[in-house]
Every structure is written in structure tokens, then in C-alpha cells.
Amino acid sequence: MSPWRRYVGNASMKFTCDPRNLEYLLKTRFSVFPKGPYFRDTIRDLLVDGIFNVDDVTWQRQRKTISVELYSAKFRQLTTESLVELVHARLLPVLENVVNKSTTIDLQDVLLILTFENVCMIAFGVDPGCLRLGLPEIPFAKAFEGATEATLLRFFTPTFIWKAMRCLDLGSEKKLGTSIKGVDEFAGEVIKTRKKELSLQTEDERRRSDLLTVFMRLKDEQGKPFLDKFLRDICVNFILAGRDTSSVALSWFFWLLEKNPMIEEKILAEICRIVNERDELKNKRELEIPLIFRPEEIKKMDYLQASLSETLRLYPSVPVDHKENRKFVL
Ligand code: HEM
């Protein structure tokens, strides 16, 4: 993109959804199509040097460490346990309360809070505590929401306008500044506390496997511990990656179920059939215990899996992915 177009706005773009083009952009010639300066400049204030906002070697290094971590058995166990706990101890009571009081609730909001809490626990290893009766407002959640909204708005505003607004601390740019301060304060506090806790070397601390702790135990290329700023960027980018994507997918999924009751019936029939295969249910002794799906049962839920995939196909959580062309200046 030419400097002039980058300065004035976002005009010189080409859109494609042809799978052959996507393969070319994201796989065959991946290194020729980076995120690029326009994208990075627009989201830099919030995401700084995190995985979403870096290219080339810096991206490769983060990607490698995060991938190793994501596929580790310990990490998978942490995410599974944390989600089971969140759904049973937090989400279900909130939904039951709505049913008991015959009130209404915005499911999209609740799902966003659920995925935010889940990904915060995975990234920072702390529970922000938003998913409770009455859905209390939590400063970090509010700051994160404000910062992502104001950053997104920059993509619909000519660059020179948002840059001028940032200089003058006006409107959405003022909100962005305040929100980023809130995010940084929360992250700074968690990092400080975790450092103290890890230095105590207790059994609980040794068992921690959240992303922040993992990166705190690692060293950079010079063999030094990562800087606090870098730890903040890793976690904030990760929260952004996991929060909206999953909640948007779940919101569309339930919306589609409501429009297609036959599909809902088939999913329920599949779940009942699989759960009824449990031995303990056969002798009816454990019916009073809350039903928690086991990983091996979920793996057998083919119809549910297909319905979720179809939801993502019809309403992708990430409908647009921006890449710049390194070879040709338009
Ligand atoms: C329905 C759920 C999800 C969808 C559709 C989705 C989709 C995507 C897409 C399309 C990208 C590529 C962005 C790009 O290259 O510009 C991406 C990147 C990423 N996602 Fe997800 N995601 C989902 C859930 C999650 C969750 C739950 C996490 C973490 C807990 C996560 C972590 C990441 C990370 C760390 C990246 C950056 C990878 C990189 O740049 O190499 N995602 N995701």
C-alpha cells in the first residue's frame, strides 16, 4: 500500500474468498504477505508486540512457543478443568436464575463473559469474576472491551483523522487511552503478584501452567527472563484471540438452533444416546449427580461437531483477515 493511501485511509484493498487464493496467501507464499505496517500501526497501541501484531522472526518465535504450550497435555488439562468449572459453577447458576425468575438475558453478552473469563484464566491464571449472578461490572473486563472497540473503530476512520484525535486526546481515542491504561494496570498487577508467588516455590505454584507462568519460566535468546512488557503483550493478544472468536461462534450456533428445532432435536438425541451408554446411569444410582461430559464422550458427538463446523462455515468468527503485499506497491 502506498504511503499516501496508508495516510489517508484504507482504500486500496482487494477482497478474495477463493480457497485457492487463501491457500496462496496463507500457505504457499506466506512470507510475501505479512500483516504489514498499515495493520500493525492501527492496532499497535493495544496489542504492541504480541503475536497478532508482529511478522517474520518475531512472529515465528512467539508462534513456536505458544504452539508448543497449546498442544501440551498439561495445558489441555488446565483449559478443560477451567471450562468445566466455569460452566457448572458459574454459567449454569446464571441461566437457572433467569429461568427461575422468568426474566430475560442477552445470551450473546453471557457467552462473551464466559469466554473472556475462560481465556483470562488460561492466559493470566486469574479469574476476573464477571460471570456471577447480576453480572457485575469488572474494571479489567470493561477496559478490555473499551480498548478493543476503540481499536476496531480505527479501521473505519481515515488514518490521519484517528491520529489527529489521538494527538488531541479526543473521542474514541481518549477512550482508547483510558482503556489501555486499565488493561495495563491489571496486567502489571498480575505480573507483579505472580513473580512474588513463583519465587516462593510452593507446590501450588509449581503446578501452574497458565501462559503467563510458562513464559515467566522461559528465557529469551540472550538467556534472560522476558521483560514485563513482553509478558503483558503475550497475554493481552491471547485474550483477544480467544475471547470474541469463541463467543461469536457460540452465539451464532444457538441462534441457528433456535431457527432449526429439528437440528436441536438431533443433537439432543445424540447426546442422550452417548450418555445413556454410561454404566453408572444404567443402574440409575448417579442420576442426582450433575452431568459432566467426559472428553471421550464429546469425541463421539459427531452430529454436534458437524453442526458447530457448519455454524463456522455460515457465520465465520473471523470473517476478514488482512494481509499486505510485500512484493508490489499498489
Ligand atoms: C471459534 C473459535 C476460533 C476461531 C474461528 C479462530 C480463528 C483464528 C484465525 C482465523 C486466526 C488467524 C489470524 C491471522 O492470521 O491473522 C487465529 C489466530 C490465533 N488464534 Fe484463534 N480462533 C478461535 C479460537 C481461539 C482460541 C480459543 C484461542 C486461544 C485460547 C485462539 C488463539 C489464537 C492465537 C494465539 C492466534 C495467533 C496465531 C498466529 O498469529 O500465528 N484462537 N485464530
Side-chain angles (χ1 to χ4, degrees):
M1 188 180 290
S2 74
W4 166 245
R5 281 190 169 146
R6 192 175 297 140
Y7 176 68
V8 173
N10 325 333
S12 73
M13 291 189 183
K14 291 196 188 335
F15 289 87
T16 179
C17 59
D18 187 324
R20 287 167 304 175
N21 288 340
L22 298 188
E23 187 176 0
Y24 185 78
L25 287 160
L26 300 174
K27 193 175 161 197
T28 322
R29 303 301 303 277
F30 180 72
S31 58
V32 179
F33 297 97
K35 288 163 188 117
Y38 164 71
F39 182 81
R40 284 196 271 116
D41 197 26
T42 310
I43 64 171
R44 178 167 289 122
D45 287 331
L46 174 63
L47 299 182
V48 199
D49 291 326
I51 190 161
F52 274 119
N53 205 27
V54 284
D55 282 315
D56 307 316
V57 185
T58 326
W59 173 80
Q60 266 168 3
R61 269 196 223 116
Q62 285 194 38
R63 169 83 186 199
K64 205 172 147 204
T65 319
I66 291 184
S67 303
V68 170
E69 176 58 11
L70 286 189
Y71 291 111
S72 75
K74 209 172 165 192
F75 189 78
R76 281 172 176 234
Q77 195 188 345
L78 166 87
T79 48
T80 311
E81 283 170 4
S82 131
L83 195 58
V84 166
E85 166 74 13
L86 266 179
V87 169
H88 287 270
R90 306 284 191 73
L91 177 68
L92 293 181
V94 168
L95 297 180
E96 272 163 14
N97 185 50
V98 172
V99 173
N100 292 341
K101 291 196 171 151
S102 302
T103 54
T104 54
I105 198 162
D106 187 333
L107 189 62
Q108 198 171 332
D109 285 348
V110 177
L111 292 172
L112 186 66
I113 295 172
L114 171 77
T115 53
F116 177 72
E117 295 238 328
N118 184 41
V119 81
C120 265
M121 279 150 100
I122 298 171
F124 279 124
V126 291
D127 171 8
C130 336
L131 191 55
R132 294 180 192 281
L133 291 184
L135 305 177
E137 199 174 81
I138 304 292
F140 174 56
K142 196 174 168 224
F144 201 90
E145 180 72 34
T148 44
E149 261 177 30
T151 301
L152 190 67
L153 203 62
R154 283 184 174 177
F155 286 99
F156 303 99
T157 313
T159 310
F160 75 97
I161 293 191
W162 71 252
K163 286 200 170 169
M165 284 168 69
R166 183 176 62 181
C167 269
L168 301 168
D169 197 23
L170 290 176
S172 58
E173 288 298 315
K174 183 177 175 153
K175 183 180 169 190
L176 180 60
T178 323
S179 304
I180 290 176
K181 211 167 151 231
V183 171
D184 289 350
E185 274 169 13
F186 177 85
E189 201 49 50
V190 176
I191 293 170
K192 205 168 96 187
T193 315
R194 183 65 42 79
K195 274 189 178 165
K196 271 193 210 146
E197 289 167 352
L198 287 180
S199 67
L200 297 176
Q201 294 277 329
T202 62
E203 193 48 41
D204 274 357
E205 295 314 316
R206 266 195 289 274
R207 249 183 284 149
R208 273 189 177 278
S209 58
D210 54 86
L211 207 64
L212 176 62
T213 308
V214 168
F215 270 88
M216 276 184 171
R217 287 181 188 136
L218 296 173
K219 302 271 184 290
D220 66 12
E221 304 91 69
Q222 278 93 45
K224 292 186 182 148
F226 288 112
L227 296 174
D228 289 4
K229 188 192 138 309
F230 179 78
L231 296 171
R232 174 262 182 219
D233 297 348
I234 292 275
C235 293
V236 168
N237 277 256
F238 199 79
I239 294 175
L240 186 79
R243 186 188 84 132
D244 297 64
T245 43
S246 319
S247 76
V248 165
L250 287 170
S251 299
W252 280 117
F253 174 69
F254 287 114
W255 184 82
L256 279 168
L257 282 193
E258 206 264 325
K259 303 266 169 239
N260 297 278
M262 254 177 61
I263 306 292
E264 184 180 358
E265 273 171 33
K266 285 187 179 177
I267 291 174
L268 287 174
E270 180 182 66
I271 293 175
C272 290
R273 181 178 50 75
I274 290 167
V275 171
N276 279 333
E277 287 167 9
R278 283 187 186 185
D279 287 342
E280 60 266 29
L281 280 186
K282 283 186 186 143
N283 56 34
K284 308 274 186 247
R285 264 184 297 144
E286 298 214 4
L287 276 177
E288 298 304 310
I289 299 171
L291 183 64
I292 295 180
F293 299 122
R294 297 167 184 163
E296 65 275 15
E297 288 171 336
I298 293 171
K299 275 190 197 147
K300 286 193 224 158
M301 295 179 188
D302 296 330
Y303 197 84
L304 175 64
Q305 172 68 55
S307 310
L308 285 166
S309 301
E310 184 64 355
T311 306
L312 279 168
R313 189 185 69 81
L314 290 168
Y315 300 102
S317 297
V318 187
V320 182
D321 196 8
H322 173 105
K323 298 284 167 193
E324 274 194 34
N325 188 340
R326 205 167 244 167
K327 276 252 164 92
F328 312 103
V329 174
L330 294 169

